[in-house]
Amino acid sequence: MSSNEPFAGVETQIDEVADGIFRLSTPVAAEHFPPMGFTYGQFLLMGDEPLLYHTGPRRMFDCLVTALEKICPIDKLRWLSFGHGESDESGSMLQILEAAPKCEVLVGTMLSRLVVNDAAPRPAVVLGHGETRKIGRHEVMWLDTPHLPHNWEAGMMFETTTKTLMCGDLFTLMGDDHPATTTDDILPASEELRQRLPYYSNPQAARPKLEEMAALKPANLAGMHGPVWQGDGAAMLHRLADALDG
Ligand SMILES: [Fe+2]
Ligand SMILES: [Fe+2]
C-alpha cells in the first residue's frame, strides 16, 4: 500500500456551487470504502482573503493541493476553518499551515481550546457564537453546535452573502459519485445511513441548534459528504429535527 492510499491517482472534482464558493470533492472508491464508496468535500471561499473549510484527511493532502491550486495557490490561503477535530475535517491542518504561512485558523471557542491551540503552530482566531467576520467579498458567521452531530467542540460556518451553511457531517450520504449540487430530497438516504451508523452524539438534543440554523434561512446546505443541497434550507433543517426526534 502506498503512503497515500486510497487517494493515489484520485482526481478531485471542482465546482462553483455559489458565488465565489467552490466545492472540492474527492471520491474514495468502493474497494477502499465498502460498500458504495465515499466522498470528502472541502469548500473554498475565494476572494481577497481566501478561506478553506475542511482540510481533508492527511493522506489526501496531495489531492487537495492539486485541486486547490487550479483556483488559488495554497500559500495565498488567508483562513482555514473546520467544524470539529477529526481526520477528515482537520487531518491536514498542520500541512496546510506549513504551506500557507499567512493562513490562520478561524474557529469557535471550544475548537480553539480543545484542538487548534495545542496542535497548531499558531493560535486560532476565535469567533464567538453568532459572531461574523468579513473576509474579502464574503462574510462568515460561526455557530457553536456542541455534539451536533458529534464532538463537544463542534461548530458550523454560515456564509451570509450566499446563504451557504457549511454543515459538515449533516446529511451525509454514502457513494463516490454525486452531483455537485442537487434539489433532490437527500434526507431519506442520509437518515437511512444514520440508522445504520449512529454518528450523532445526542440526536434528541439537536432541535434547538437546528432551529437556530433554520432561522438563518440557508439556501445552500453544503455538507461534507455528498452534494450541496439547494432549496428551502429552513424546511430541510426542520425535517431533520423531526427525524432526529423520531
Ligand atoms: Fe465528523
Ligand atoms: Fe466529515
Side-chain angles (χ1 to χ4, degrees):
M1 183 188 264
S2 73
S3 63
N4 65 344
E5 284 279 10
F7 299 105
V10 169
E11 186 157 351
T12 296
Q13 184 184 331
I14 306 170
D15 294 275
E16 188 170 9
V17 293
D19 186 20
I21 300 183
F22 294 83
R23 170 184 178 266
L24 311 177
S25 179
T26 307
V28 177
E31 64 177 297
H32 298 294
F33 205 123
M36 297 167 63
F38 204 49
T39 55
Y40 295 96
Q42 287 65 234
F43 295 95
L44 175 67
L45 279 55
M46 265 309 282
D48 292 342
E49 299 183 32
L51 178 146
L52 181 67
Y53 193 76
H54 300 149
T55 73
R58 189 172 53 82
R59 284 182 296 164
M60 209 184 83
F61 180 67
D62 290 346
C63 280
L64 171 72
V65 174
T66 300
L68 180 71
E69 294 214 319
K70 291 176 181 168
I71 312 168
C72 175
I74 190 166
D75 63 358
K76 296 286 185 281
L77 279 181
R78 176 65 185 85
W79 300 107
L80 177 65
S81 188
F82 43 83
H84 49 276
E86 198 171 21
S87 59
D88 52 341
E89 274 79 9
S90 62
S92 292
M93 176 177 69
L94 294 184
Q95 288 98 316
I96 291 170
L97 292 178
E98 190 175 334
K102 296 193 197 92
C103 185
E104 293 179 279
V105 180
L106 184 65
V107 289
T109 307
M110 292 308 285
L111 247 173
S112 74
R113 290 180 184 167
L114 299 184
V115 178
V116 179
N117 289 356
D118 185 62
R122 39 196 184 268
V125 175
V126 174
L127 289 177
H129 177 63
E131 188 177 349
T132 58
R133 182 172 186 123
K134 199 101 176 84
I135 54 161
R137 65 197 274 197
H138 292 111
E139 182 186 67
V140 294
M141 174 189 291
W142 182 264
L143 301 160
D144 291 328
T145 63
H147 306 293
L148 178 63
H150 44 241
N151 292 19
W152 185 16
E153 75 278 7
M156 292 177 198
M157 186 167 264
F158 182 62
E159 200 289 306
T160 66
T161 69
T162 59
K163 296 198 164 290
T164 299
L165 179 65
M166 287 170 279
C167 56
D169 294 334
L170 303 192
F171 306 106
T172 288
L173 297 180
M174 294 295 285
D176 63 355
D177 185 17
H178 297 291
T181 63
T182 188
T183 57
D184 292 349
D185 188 0
I186 56 174
L187 187 61
S190 66
E191 277 299 288
E192 190 271 329
L193 176 66
R194 187 179 66 84
Q195 301 300 331
R196 285 194 289 119
L197 301 172
Y199 64 89
Y200 278 61
S201 301
N202 191 2
Q204 274 74 35
R207 181 178 289 279
K209 285 293 171 191
L210 291 170
E211 290 184 346
E212 196 173 26
M213 291 189 277
L216 298 170
K217 300 191 184 317
N220 304 296
L221 297 175
M224 182 176 202
H225 310 289
V228 173
W229 186 82
Q230 298 183 320
D232 183 345
M236 182 61 95
L237 289 164
H238 280 123
R239 287 179 62 214
L240 175 59
D242 291 343
L244 293 172
D245 274 349

